[in-house]
Amino acid sequence: MDRTSSPTASALVGRDRERGLIDAVLDEAAAGRANTLVVHGEAGVGKTALVSAAAAGRTDGLALYGAGLPLSSMTVPLLAIRSLVRGLPESVPALELPTGNDVSEAVLRVDAWLDTLADAGPVALVLDDLHWADQTSLDILQYVVAGPEHRRLTVLATVRSGAVSDAHPLARWLADVRRLPRVDEIVLAPLDKEATLDQLTNLLGETPHGSLVDEVYARTGGNPYFTRLLAAGLPSDARTLPAALPESLRGALVRTSSTLSEAARRGAQVLAVGGHPMAYDELDEVAPDLGWDAIAPEAIAAGVVDALPGGRLWIHHPLLAETLEAELPARERRARHRAFARWWEARPPSAEESAEAARTAHVADHYFHAQDADEARTWALRAARAAESAGMWSEAQRLLERELARGTASGADGVRRDLLHRTQHATEMSGDITTELRLIEELLALIDPDDEPLAVAELLIRRTYLRFHTGQRFDDTDALEVAEALARSRPPSATLVRVLSWQVMNGRWKTDRNVEMSEEALAIARDIGEAVGVALAGRTMAATFGDDAATAIACGTEAMETGVREGDWLTAQFGAKWSADADDNPWSPWYAERVARARAYLMEAGAPSHVTLTFAVLEADARLYMGEWEEGVALTRACLAGSMTPMWDAGARLGLARLAVLQGRPSEAVAHLARAEELIADAPRFAALEFDAIRAMISLSVGDVEAAYSHALNGLGWETQAPTMVEYLVPLAARALADHVERRRAGGDDVDELLQRVDELARSHPHIELEEREMRPWCAAEAETFQVMYRAELARARQSEDAGLLWRVATIRARRACLAWDEAYAGWRWAEALLRSGQHGRETATVLRDAHRLALRLAAGPVVEALERLAAGAHIPLTEVMGHPDGAPAEAPFPGLTAREREIVTYLVAGRTYAEIADALVISEKTVSSHVSNILRKTGARNRIELAVLAEQRRTPGAASVR
């Protein structure tokens, strides 16, 4: 739509459903049925941006924008209507409004004016902040809303939730228009966490760290305006928010409560200090000096306080509560906290564990803010125990970390050590492995391995896992060997079982030794009746890399079930993952379904989110590789909005980097790669992730073939496990050389030196690299695909005659292996090879069209563009050929042509190539070309495209000419 005085709209996120509803309303009006939609929502939730974007996004018609204004010292008649007609384009008829107070004629004038506009095309009337509109504007708008049904007019109005009391003029207006036909309302809720992630990504220019998303969402409650103000000026790699609120945000929050009386403001401040919804009688008990019956209704009417179900009161927004509490003088604030602490302390204990944990935490927190150190410590430790019993691990961690930060009395190392152990366990259960690693390092510094070898061995085992999942070290064999020596210094124990199992799972996988260690661990575990689950997980890993899939699947399934029974979620996670990995390729459809079922099973069993998110990342990765990229992106977004370990976080970002490359967004891919490298300190040698393959792909996408070749070779020849995507590396190296050769040849440069490098690559790597595991069906299909693609890239570089055949085989094998992206690429190269060999017949056209159709489905921009260039150069239309069902062409609409010429015209218009026409009519391509020359001469068309347009014009009289 043409826009007049539209607000600047920023990128919308998380509003697909609401945008669809507004689009449907606009479509209905465009079809001739007038309607009205009122959008409600709290301040800053994005009402204006939503309706403005929807109206501006239309390609036809006119959008008019107006707004109510919060004038306090004057009343301007028709102000909201006047704002609609400000700055109209010259093509829009003017509207004269009365200048005095007599506005009775304006009603009919505005309605008639809108009739004129709607006759010319669809009109969207967008009125923002209707709660501030003057009464005269509301009267006119009501007349318009009640107007004729059959006109192309949509009224879109926004109203701030909480701004319309029963006595507000808009309350009656809304009650009246709700009775009218064709009037609907929607409530715009705050964004969810995933949409907040998307908004932060837009604001920062990169996908933000999960901890930042968590903090922003917790503090803004999904309010887009507050999120924007909080994110202003943040660096893209920020992990937390600054301690102080931005001045712009603080000012906006202060303005929210600026209309309150002094008494109501003090009441809101005290309620904010309480930090929790409370009822009138509770507030009277804790703060009897305030008249809550009088001040609470005022705060509610101002939108500062919300009346919740059950007669409880709470501040409208978390950030507003922060601002109000900070306004209290420090001395009074401490006194109020002390009063709240004593009130919660006097409450009777709850039989429900989570409620009791919350009550004791309130006592601890209020004493802490009151600066009563001894009481705060006593209640913090008590509250942490209650939270641990209730399984509220993040809450227990928060309380215990605060006590650790406050320190302990001199000579109380034992007390601090116990506190460290408790906090470490809480962080393990909550999934905060970065904090846990720091705690373990401190514990290792406190414990003497000679006195407590098993305790130190347990910490070393856990540290190995944490170093891996925080990206600090892929292979920690040295530390595990120390742990094994410590564990073997005592009788066989669960600690020894865990050490042996972790050595198997550590990454330096030597099949015979691993099988031996895993069998020893399982035997000890079954003998002592402890740590059976982790021993089974280790046995799963050993069997997977020992080509014993049946044992791996059985042990992995048992490990998962044992871990669930024992509440050992890490063991359950490893058992589920490795039993799935043992059975087939992690990029197969079967694998995606398997890990989805594992995730559902663990979620139902009560596993924490940081465990279940692992399987969401695995499923997303599989779906991205198979070409189900929309599903993969949706899953990845959900994962990034959650709390993942750095290793899985980086893995998700590398998946998005690969997708961005394949879809032609290299700068986005570079950003995802950079964030993954930031998360993984050991990125140059971190085999669990596909850094080298992604680097090579990005370099190829920007034409840096030497860097691509270097990155691909860098990923080969590792001493430990081969890196993820290792099977891609040799083909990528060959592709880089082939691209380089073609570029040199196109410039007329010598390619002998490059061909020598091609031969050297072929000699040093006669086969692609593979991970060490049994060749099960999907793995074998994948390996065969990449081996043929490698040979095909070598043939492309050498301009071998068998290149076309190799690309044909690669295309077919990629399809069988469900490698959609590789199928589209191989199809492009196959078509290219066919055209280079002079084949322009039906097979070439079919290959081009099939590859183009697949590339379009994948949104694989670079391949789509390459195929379209090939098709244009070969004069092969990429549209589907639609012939008559029985093969007989329809009659062409040109007089003066022979029967054969009319027949050929029909085939040309249908999109057939010369070769296809020759095959269909059993004539030579040369004869077809001769006929086409005669047809163009007789019809006056300059080419076959213009011929198709002329044919359509003759079938549809009155069609516009393009000549």
Side-chain angles (χ1 to χ4, degrees):
M1 286 187 168
D2 292 334
R3 304 174 63 185
T4 67
S5 305
S6 167
T8 302
S10 58
L12 289 175
V13 295
R15 300 301 189 197
D16 292 344
R17 185 186 70 84
E18 294 86 353
R19 178 66 183 266
L21 292 173
I22 298 177
D23 284 343
V25 168
L26 293 167
D27 288 340
E28 192 174 4
R33 188 171 185 269
N35 49 52
T36 297
L37 181 67
V38 181
V39 181
H40 299 266
E42 67 179 29
V45 81
K47 305 180 296 296
T48 302
L50 174 65
V51 296
S52 299
R58 311 298 288 190
T59 57
D60 59 341
L62 177 69
L64 303 173
Y65 298 88
L69 294 175
L71 302 181
S72 56
S73 61
M74 66 179 72
T75 300
V76 179
L78 301 174
L79 180 60
I81 299 299
R82 294 181 196 280
S83 68
L84 281 168
V85 300
R86 185 186 305 159
L88 290 173
E90 294 182 1
S91 58
V92 176
L95 171 65
E96 292 188 8
L97 293 172
T99 56
N101 292 325
D102 184 6
V103 296
S104 56
E105 293 184 6
V107 176
L108 297 179
R109 285 189 194 176
V110 171
D111 196 60
W113 180 67
L114 289 173
D115 275 339
T116 302
L117 298 182
D119 286 342
V123 178
L125 202 63
V126 181
L127 272 168
D128 197 26
D129 292 327
L130 201 60
H131 47 280
W132 286 330
D134 57 288
Q135 186 60 55
T136 53
S137 293
L138 290 177
D139 291 341
I140 290 178
L141 191 59
Q142 184 172 345
Y143 187 83
V144 169
V145 170
E149 175 182 356
H150 299 294
R151 62 176 170 180
R152 293 181 289 180
L153 175 66
T154 301
V155 176
L156 298 173
T158 71
V159 178
R160 179 180 297 179
S161 300
V164 183
S165 63
D166 292 342
H168 195 286
L170 188 60
R172 178 178 176 182
W173 186 92
L174 287 169
D176 289 339
V177 299
R178 283 171 182 146
R179 295 195 295 266
L180 298 174
R182 309 182 312 281
V183 175
D184 288 308
E185 298 174 86
I186 62 172
V187 177
L188 198 60
L191 298 177
D192 60 18
K193 195 172 182 181
E194 291 178 34
T196 300
L197 164 69
D198 289 341
Q199 185 187 6
L200 284 170
T201 301
N202 290 340
L203 293 169
L204 300 179
E206 294 182 17
T207 306
H209 195 277
S211 62
L212 180 67
V213 179
D214 289 342
E215 185 176 0
V216 169
Y217 184 70
R219 296 182 71 180
T220 66
N223 184 294
Y225 177 62
F226 291 162
T227 296
R228 179 165 62 82
L229 294 181
L230 268 183
L234 284 180
S236 61
D237 60 350
R239 297 194 175 201
T240 60
L241 290 170
L245 291 178
E247 188 58 33
S248 57
L249 178 54
R250 196 191 69 80
L253 292 166
V254 168
R255 184 168 184 239
T256 302
S257 59
S258 60
T259 60
L260 293 178
S261 66
E262 183 59 33
R265 190 177 192 82
R266 181 53 51 94
Q269 291 166 343
V270 171
L271 179 60
V273 168
H276 188 272
M278 301 187 75
Y280 279 91
D281 57 344
E282 294 172 335
L283 289 167
D284 279 333
E285 291 174 10
V286 77
D289 56 312
L290 300 175
W292 292 99
D293 288 337
I295 62 179
E298 180 187 343
I300 293 170
V304 174
V305 170
D306 292 335
L308 305 179
R312 305 178 83 76
L313 305 175
W314 183 233
I315 306 300
H316 178 68
H317 195 278
L319 287 173
L320 181 56
E322 284 185 41
T323 305
L324 288 166
E325 180 180 356
E327 289 177 348
L328 269 181
R331 185 172 180 176
E332 180 181 355
R333 186 165 62 246
R334 290 194 298 271
R336 296 289 184 183
H337 274 298
R338 190 174 298 108
F340 275 107
R342 291 170 178 167
W343 184 85
W344 280 109
E345 186 177 353
R347 304 286 288 179
S350 173
E352 203 275 311
E353 286 187 327
S354 60
E356 179 60 10
R359 183 187 74 86
T360 51
H362 288 318
V363 179
D365 288 341
H366 284 299
Y367 274 131
F368 175 77
H369 292 298
Q371 298 181 8
D372 289 352
D374 292 339
E375 291 285 0
R377 181 175 182 79
T378 298
W379 280 94
L381 296 177
R382 180 175 172 180
R385 282 193 296 272
E388 290 164 347
S389 297
M392 300 165 61
W393 296 107
S394 294
E395 178 68 353
Q397 176 187 343
R398 179 184 72 84
L399 292 161
L400 293 169
E401 276 197 274
R402 190 167 71 194
E403 291 310 306
L404 279 174
R406 294 175 63 193
T408 57
S410 177
D413 284 349
V415 174
R416 182 167 184 81
R417 175 177 159 179
D418 290 343
L419 192 56
L420 281 167
H421 272 299
R422 284 183 65 186
T423 313
Q424 183 243 322
H425 181 61
T427 56
E428 177 181 349
M429 298 303 294
S430 69
D432 184 0
I433 66 173
T434 302
T435 299
E436 186 187 357
L437 181 58
R438 175 177 55 78
L439 296 171
I440 283 179
E441 295 290 4
E442 185 173 349
L443 280 166
L444 283 170
L446 289 176
I447 303 174
D448 187 341
D450 293 331
D451 295 336
E452 301 178 73
L454 296 186
V456 173
E458 289 283 1
L459 291 171
L460 290 174
I461 297 167
R462 184 65 183 171
R463 189 181 69 176
T464 296
Y465 168 81
L466 298 176
R467 283 178 170 178
F468 176 80
H469 279 269
T470 53
Q472 295 185 25
R473 185 169 299 180
F474 177 76
D475 182 357
D476 210 358
T477 300
D478 294 344
L480 286 176
E481 288 175 350
V482 172
E484 182 182 356
L486 291 170
R488 289 192 185 277
S489 71
R490 294 293 188 269
S493 62
T495 299
L496 179 57
V497 172
R498 281 187 279 271
V499 169
L500 294 173
S501 299
W502 272 104
Q503 281 188 291
V504 173
M505 295 186 287
N506 184 48
R508 188 169 290 177
W509 295 321
K510 299 176 181 179
T511 302
D512 294 340
R513 173 64 176 145
N514 285 350
V515 170
E516 179 185 328
M517 282 195 297
S518 69
E519 289 177 346
E520 180 187 1
L522 188 54
I524 295 172
R526 293 198 189 280
D527 184 53
I528 66 176
E530 294 183 67
V532 175
V534 71
L536 286 165
R539 186 74 188 93
T540 302
M541 176 79 84
T544 297
F545 286 87
D547 291 343
D548 187 356
T551 298
I553 294 167
C555 288
T557 303
E558 187 180 352
M560 176 181 69
E561 294 169 351
T562 303
V564 168
R565 283 197 306 271
E566 297 175 352
D568 182 353
W569 298 116
L570 186 58
T571 290
Q573 173 186 333
F574 275 116
K577 181 184 183 304
W578 282 105
S579 60
D581 286 356
D583 207 14
D584 231 321
N585 176 29
W587 299 330
S588 68
W590 183 92
Y591 184 86
E593 295 304 319
R594 172 107 184 215
V595 295
R597 289 197 301 271
R599 177 162 58 105
Y601 171 76
L602 291 172
M603 287 177 67
E604 186 176 354
S609 62
H610 64 270
V611 171
T612 58
L613 280 174
T614 297
F615 296 92
V617 174
L618 292 170
E619 182 187 353
D621 209 35
R623 299 205 180 280
L624 286 173
Y625 274 82
M626 292 186 301
E628 298 175 5
W629 63 273
E630 292 100 338
E631 295 90 336
V633 168
L635 274 169
T636 304
R637 285 178 58 248
C639 293
L640 290 175
S643 297
M644 293 188 290
T645 68
M647 199 276 287
W648 288 106
D649 192 342
R653 294 171 195 276
L654 288 174
L656 291 177
R658 181 174 184 270
L659 178 68
V661 168
L662 294 169
Q663 293 187 332
R665 302 186 301 276
S667 59
E668 179 185 326
V670 169
H672 285 307
L673 173 62
R675 185 52 56 86
E677 289 173 331
E678 172 196 321
L679 291 166
I680 305 297
D682 193 28
R685 305 301 294 173
F686 202 80
L689 297 173
E690 56 270 27
F691 282 104
D692 288 307
I694 297 300
R695 292 184 188 113
M697 293 176 69
I698 292 174
S699 297
L700 278 171
S701 71
V702 297
D704 191 347
V705 290
E706 284 297 338
Y709 183 76
S710 176
H711 288 312
L713 292 186
N714 188 62
L716 302 172
W718 285 41
E719 295 179 2
T720 56
Q721 178 201 12
T724 300
M725 282 183 69
V726 67
E727 59 271 50
Y728 276 84
L729 293 175
V730 179
L732 284 170
R735 177 178 173 181
L737 289 177
D739 285 357
H740 204 170
V741 168
E742 288 186 343
R743 188 182 304 171
R744 286 273 189 91
R745 283 195 179 113
D749 297 326
D750 182 75
V751 297
D752 288 347
E753 183 268 334
L754 284 175
L755 291 177
Q756 289 176 10
R757 292 171 65 185
V758 171
D759 293 339
E760 180 183 344
L761 179 66
R763 282 193 303 271
S764 60
H765 296 282
H767 304 287
I768 64 169
E769 297 286 327
L770 293 171
E771 292 187 52
E772 301 176 46
R773 62 181 65 186
E774 185 183 15
M775 285 292 98
R776 291 170 293 284
W778 285 107
C779 293
E782 180 200 32
E784 291 169 357
T785 299
F786 289 115
Q787 183 61 38
V788 175
M789 291 187 76
Y790 174 39
R791 293 176 57 199
E793 293 287 14
L794 295 175
R796 178 165 72 96
R798 294 164 173 160
Q799 289 191 327
S800 301
E801 292 183 359
D802 60 350
L805 175 61
L806 289 169
W807 285 118
R808 176 180 181 274
V809 174
T811 303
I812 294 170
R813 289 190 175 176
R815 186 178 304 142
R816 290 174 180 170
C818 294
L819 297 169
W821 304 94
D822 302 292
E823 179 189 346
Y825 174 77
W828 159 33
R829 294 302 187 188
W830 180 12
E832 182 181 59
L834 288 171
L835 289 170
R836 282 179 175 171
S837 65
Q839 300 181 50
H840 291 66
R842 178 173 296 176
E843 180 189 24
T844 305
T846 300
V847 172
L848 265 172
R849 290 168 184 155
D850 287 349
H852 186 257
R853 184 166 53 250
L854 175 58
L856 283 175
R857 178 172 68 80
L858 298 172
V863 176
V864 169
E865 293 173 7
L867 288 165
E868 289 177 350
R869 286 195 300 269
L870 282 179
H875 303 292
I876 297 176
L878 289 169
T879 54
E880 288 288 337
V881 177
M882 303 299 293
H884 191 276
D886 61 6
E891 187 70 16
F894 289 105
L897 300 182
T898 66
R900 174 64 83 187
E901 288 169 348
R902 288 197 297 274
E903 198 173 23
I904 289 175
V905 166
T906 303
Y907 281 112
L908 289 171
V909 172
R912 301 290 181 93
T913 66
Y914 286 8
E916 289 171 331
I917 297 171
D919 287 346
L921 300 180
V922 197
I923 58 179
S924 69
E925 287 189 51
K926 185 175 181 180
T927 302
V928 173
S929 177
S930 178
H931 280 304
V932 170
S933 296
N934 290 331
I935 292 166
L936 296 178
R937 176 177 52 79
K938 291 180 181 181
T939 60
R942 288 173 290 190
N943 50 50
R944 61 183 297 168
I945 296 174
E946 193 168 293
L947 181 68
V949 174
L950 290 172
E952 183 61 29
Q953 289 175 355
R954 288 176 177 270
R955 289 194 180 100
T956 310
S961 173
V962 299
R963 297 187 65 184

